[in-house]
Each structure stands twice: as structure tokens, then as C-alpha cells.
């Protein structure tokens, strides 16, 4: 009993001390993180200090004034770039003591930019991010369609980047300029969230369908975004930052001429097929009579054998998106095959295999089919089903 009493007296204080040490350790770690960042925080302005991780500005510490009630609710703190009013997304928390607020943006702050700190919509401080010492490496690698003559009812542009980009800001960095040098307004559909691929390297930008479809109110009020016979430039500003906060290597521009509207649906029965010999490494070559949607081409064409089994293939898209080359694996044996084309395949104006994009709902509608098949054999004969 005496031993138990002695142990109890020793363990209980020990547990209390251990708990206090854990709490103290947590506070000290936050203070340590803040202190080690101070040498890199050379951008102290009006009570704000930037936290750097190497060359990246990953946070900012705001020196609050308790007399102004700033810390009553740190969630009311907003960070905005000086050049536009959209709030920066991120997380904020009180650290160390009640006079410090740490804000960590979802994406590192952009080098060279000035940011403002608001509390209850009132400007309380600002800070500037130092210029990056690293060399920008992210660029635009392609824009589709790649041709320079585009229909007046062009529906989509795909912009391909070499690295993941910041999202929900494309409207600030993409412009369409007419031949007079004027910036066109309201030409793109303002989609939120934006249409990115999973890796955030391909952005799908839609020209406003309401302005493209005739007789809709936006079309009647503002007209078609693009006018046949005119020249335009799509310009992407290098000020757009990637996920790491680095700006693009340079401005990008695509110049094109607008031709008449495209109202025809794609017709696979008009495609030309060049069939490879049996057991050959040559591809099945297909030529279209118009340019088709680049990324839908990668999804909508498949090969099946005479028994209906899928053939493993690799598809390469021809320049200008006017054809594809299909490499089967293994090589094709003698026999009959089918090329299956899903009806959702579109041309540059959004017309698919079943109907035109600018469809008159009052007209008679033909029966829609899920796909179209073209039969061919290794001898080179082909026919539409």
C-alpha cells in the first residue's frame, strides 16, 4: 500500500508535467517555424512578413493590432492581389500569441506581385513578393485546333501547358484581339469551375454557345463572337502562374482567319482509309474531309475484329486534325475488321455525328445512333455500314 501511494504521487505529477511539455513543445515549434523564416522575410511592409520556402512565397504573417479587434475572427482576413479584386484562397490561423495571424495560400504567391490584406473589407496592410531567382520553365506547348482558318461558329479552344497551372483565373490572362487591336468582350463562356484535365495541364475554353446559336437572346443582343472574313489573335499572358507560383516563360499568341459557319455534321462514310498489309507495322491511315476535335479523336475511334473483340491500338493525330494513324498491337492478321466511331465525335463547330450544334428543334429529327462502323479488310477494301 505504501509503495502504491508513493507511485501514485510520482506518476500523477509526471503525467501533468508531460502534458505541459507537449503543449509547450507545440507552441515552441510554431515560434521556431516563424523565427527561422524571418531571415527570408525581407518584404516587411505595414505589419506583414512573407514566409519563404526556398524561392516560393508560401505564406504571410500579419502583425495584428488587438485594439482594432482584428483577432476577434481571423477568418475575416482576406488577401487580394493589388491588380485585381479576387480573393486569394488559402487557410489562416492564429500562431504564437494573439498578435500574429499566419495565412497560407492554396498556391504560392506570385513573384514580384504586391498583395493587400483586408479585415472586414478594410485595407490594413500590404506586402510585396520578391522576384524569383529561378528561371521560369512552364510554357504553352500547343493550342487546338492548330489550323489558322477557323469557322465563325468555332466552339472550343484547348490550351495545353507543360506543367499544372493555377485554376479559376483564365479570364484574366486570355484575350481575343480583333484586327483593329481591340479586345473583344464576353466571347468566352465563364465556367466555374473551369474545365481542366485531371493533371491541370489542358484547359478547355468555350466560346459562348448562347452567342453562337442563332435566335438565342445573347446572339440577338451581342452577335456571333467571331465574324467571317475577319482576323483575330488569341493572346495568353505570361503573367499567368503555374501551380508553383512561377509565371509562364513568355506570352503566347495564336493568329487565325475566320471563314464561314460550319453547319454540316461529320460523315465517316466520306473518310478515306489506307489499310496496311497483313502482319505489317504500318498504321491504318484515315483522312477526314475537315478538321475534327483533337481530344475527342483520342476517345471516339476504336478498332474491333470480325468477332467484335476490341483490338489494342495506339492513335496518332495528323497535323491540322484532318486524319489519324492507328497502330494496332499486335499487327493485323488477314481478315475483316471494323472501325467504330462514337457519335459524340465533333468537328470544330461542335457538330457531332448525329446532329449539328446549332440545331433547329422545330425541324424533323433523325434517329440518333451511338456509333458508326466502317468495315475493312487487310486487302485494302473498305465500305460504310
Amino acid at each position: 500500500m505504501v509503495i502504491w501511494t508513493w507511485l501514485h504521487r510520482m506518476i500523477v505529477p509526471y503525467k501533468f508535467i508531460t502534458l505541459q511539455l507537449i503543449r509547450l513543445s507545440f507552441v515552441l515549434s510554431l515560434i521556431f517555424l516563424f523565427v527561422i523564416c524571418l531571415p527570408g522575410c525581407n518584404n516587411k511592409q505595414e505589419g506583414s512578413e512573407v514566409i519563404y520556402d526556398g524561392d516560393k512565397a508560401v505564406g504571410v504573417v500579419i502583425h495584428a493590432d488587438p485594439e482594432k479587434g482584428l483577432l476577434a475572427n481571423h477568418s475575416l482576413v482576406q488577401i487580394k492581389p493589388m491588380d485585381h479584386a479576387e480573393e486569394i484562397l488559402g487557410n489562416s490561423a492564429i500562431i504564437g500569441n494573439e498578435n500574429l495571424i499566419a495565412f497560407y495560400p492554396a498556391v504560392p504567391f506570385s513573384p514580384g506581385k504586391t498583395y493587400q490584406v483586408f479585415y472586414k473589407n478594410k485595407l490594413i496592410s500590404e506586402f510585396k513578393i520578391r522576384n524569383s531567382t529561378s528561371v521560369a520553365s512552364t510554357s504553352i506547348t500547343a493550342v487546338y485546333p492548330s489550323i489558322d482558318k477557323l469557322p465563325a461558329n468555332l466552339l472550343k479552344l484547348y490550351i495545353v501547358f507543360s506543367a499544372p497551372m493555377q485554376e479559376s483565373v483564365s479570364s484574366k490572362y486570355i484575350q481575343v484581339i480583333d484586327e483593329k487591336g481591340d479586345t473583344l468582350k464576353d466571347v468566352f463562356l465563364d465556367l466555374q469551375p473551369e474545365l481542366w484535365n485531371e493533371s491541370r495541364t489542358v484547359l478547355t475554353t468555350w466560346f459562348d454557345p448562347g452567342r453562337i446559336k442563332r435566335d438565342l437572346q445573347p446572339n440577338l443582343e451581342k452577335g456571333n463572337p467571331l465574324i467571317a472574313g475577319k482576323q483575330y489573335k488569341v493572346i495568353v499572358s505570361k503573367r499567368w502562374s503555374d501551380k508553383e507560383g512561377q509565371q509562364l516563360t513568355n506570352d503566347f499568341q495564336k493568329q487565325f482567319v475566320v471563314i464561314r459557319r460550319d453547319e454540316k455534321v461529320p460523315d465517316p462514310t466520306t473518310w478515306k482509309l489506307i489499310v496496311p498489309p497483313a502482319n505489317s507495322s504500318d498504321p491504318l491511315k484515315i483522312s477526314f474531309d475537315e478538321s475534327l476535335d483533337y481530344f475527342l479523336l483520342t476517345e471516339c475511334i476504336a478498332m474491333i475484329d470480325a468477332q467484335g473483340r476490341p483490338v489494342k491500338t495506339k492513335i496518332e493525330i495528323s497535323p491540322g486534325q484532318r486524319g489519324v494513324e492507328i497502330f494496332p498491337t499486335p499487327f493485323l492478321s488477314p481478315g475483316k475488321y471494323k472501325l467504330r466511331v462514337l457519335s459524340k465525335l465533333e468537328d470544330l463547330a461542335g457538330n457531332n455525328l448525329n446532329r449539328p450544334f446549332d440545331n433547329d428543334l422545330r425541324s424533323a429529327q433523325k434517329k440518333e445512333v451511338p456509333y458508326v462502323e466502317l468495315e475493312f479488310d487487310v486487302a485494302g477494301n473498305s465500305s460504310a455500314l
Side-chain angles (χ1 to χ4, degrees):
M1 186 66 179
V2 173
I3 295 174
W4 170 252
T5 302
W6 179 79
L7 287 173
H8 180 72
R9 289 176 179 175
M10 292 296 293
I11 293 172
V12 171
Y14 177 76
K15 290 172 61 179
F16 175 76
I17 292 171
T18 301
L19 181 60
Q20 296 304 314
L21 287 173
I22 292 172
R23 291 174 177 171
L24 180 60
S25 175
F26 176 71
V27 172
L28 288 174
S29 66
L30 289 174
I31 295 174
F32 177 73
L33 173 64
F34 174 64
V35 170
I36 63 173
C37 290
L38 286 180
C41 299
N42 298 321
N43 298 304
K44 184 175 179 180
Q45 293 185 16
E46 302 180 22
S48 300
E49 299 183 34
V50 180
I51 301 173
Y52 288 96
D53 178 9
D55 211 27
K56 301 175 187 176
V58 297
V60 62
V61 174
I62 303 161
H63 292 252
D65 186 350
E67 294 181 2
K68 297 180 180 179
L70 176 59
L71 294 181
N73 187 346
H74 63 83
S75 64
L76 296 178
V77 173
Q78 296 177 311
I79 310 292
K80 300 179 181 179
M82 182 174 281
D83 57 355
H84 60 81
E86 184 170 336
E87 180 181 356
I88 299 295
L89 299 178
N91 298 310
S92 60
I94 298 173
I95 63 168
N97 60 58
E98 294 185 354
N99 293 333
L100 298 175
I101 294 178
F103 178 86
Y104 302 98
V107 175
F109 294 116
S110 297
K113 271 196 173 184
T114 299
Y115 294 83
Q116 297 178 318
V117 182
F118 292 83
Y119 179 70
K120 294 183 177 179
N121 296 318
K122 181 180 179 181
L123 178 64
I124 61 171
S125 68
E126 65 181 42
F127 57 93
K128 184 175 181 178
I129 307 302
R130 68 190 182 198
N131 289 320
S132 174
T133 58
S134 61
V135 178
S137 59
T138 302
S139 62
I140 294 175
T141 59
V143 171
Y144 298 107
S146 61
I147 57 176
D148 56 9
K149 292 184 179 180
L150 301 174
N153 53 346
L154 175 68
L155 185 60
K156 289 178 283 186
L157 281 177
Y158 296 106
I159 304 176
V160 185
F161 300 87
S162 61
M165 296 294 295
Q166 289 188 17
E167 304 167 55
S168 303
V169 295
S170 64
S171 61
K172 300 179 181 66
Y173 303 111
I174 304 176
Q175 294 180 312
V176 179
I177 310 295
D178 65 17
E179 53 194 11
K180 296 179 181 178
D182 296 329
T183 301
L184 304 186
K185 296 182 179 180
D186 303 323
V187 293
F188 293 119
L189 185 64
D190 185 15
L191 288 175
Q192 294 298 334
E194 297 170 335
L195 297 179
W196 289 89
N197 66 340
E198 187 174 349
S199 64
R200 303 302 185 265
T201 56
V202 180
L203 173 67
T204 304
T205 303
W206 289 62
F207 286 90
D208 188 349
R211 293 183 59 181
I212 293 175
K213 287 197 171 188
R214 291 166 294 190
D215 296 330
L216 293 184
Q217 199 62 31
N219 175 269
L220 296 174
E221 292 178 356
K222 300 179 181 179
N224 203 74
L226 304 175
I227 306 301
K230 302 289 187 180
Q231 296 185 13
Y232 298 90
K233 292 179 183 178
V234 174
I235 298 178
V236 183
S237 171
K238 67 179 181 181
R239 294 186 297 110
W240 195 346
S241 298
D242 62 21
K243 280 287 188 182
E244 300 301 322
Q246 293 290 324
Q247 295 184 350
L248 296 174
T249 55
N250 52 267
D251 293 328
F252 178 92
Q253 71 176 37
K254 174 183 175 62
Q255 187 166 346
F256 59 94
V257 176
V258 176
I259 58 177
R260 65 182 183 278
R261 294 174 66 95
D262 180 3
E263 306 291 349
K264 291 177 56 180
V265 300
D267 183 4
T269 64
T270 65
W271 295 357
K272 297 179 180 179
L273 276 62
I274 300 178
V275 181
N279 302 313
S280 167
S281 61
D282 294 342
L284 170 67
K285 295 182 179 181
I286 308 171
S287 299
F288 316 137
D289 56 3
E290 62 175 330
S291 296
L292 299 180
D293 185 291
Y294 181 92
F295 285 97
L296 286 177
L297 279 171
T298 64
E299 303 173 1
C300 294
I301 298 180
M303 188 184 297
I304 57 178
D305 63 19
Q307 287 72 44
R309 297 172 300 196
V311 177
K312 187 177 180 180
T313 60
K314 175 184 176 183
I315 294 180
E316 293 185 1
I317 300 175
S318 304
Q321 299 79 63
R322 293 184 63 92
V324 295
E325 293 185 349
I326 303 179
F327 295 82
T329 306
F331 303 147
L332 296 179
S333 302
K336 292 186 178 297
Y337 296 86
K338 292 179 181 178
L339 193 69
R340 178 172 290 178
V341 185
L342 299 184
S343 294
K344 69 177 184 178
L345 179 62
E346 297 176 357
D347 61 21
L348 306 186
N351 307 312
N352 64 34
L353 271 57
N354 280 318
R355 61 185 182 278
F357 179 75
D358 193 1
N359 193 23
D360 187 353
L361 298 177
R362 295 168 296 183
S363 61
Q365 303 296 308
K366 72 173 186 177
K367 182 180 178 181
E368 296 191 355
V369 295
Y371 54 81
V372 173
E373 290 183 344
L374 303 177
E375 188 175 275
F376 65 93
D377 58 45
V378 292
N381 298 322
S382 66
S383 61
L385 296 184

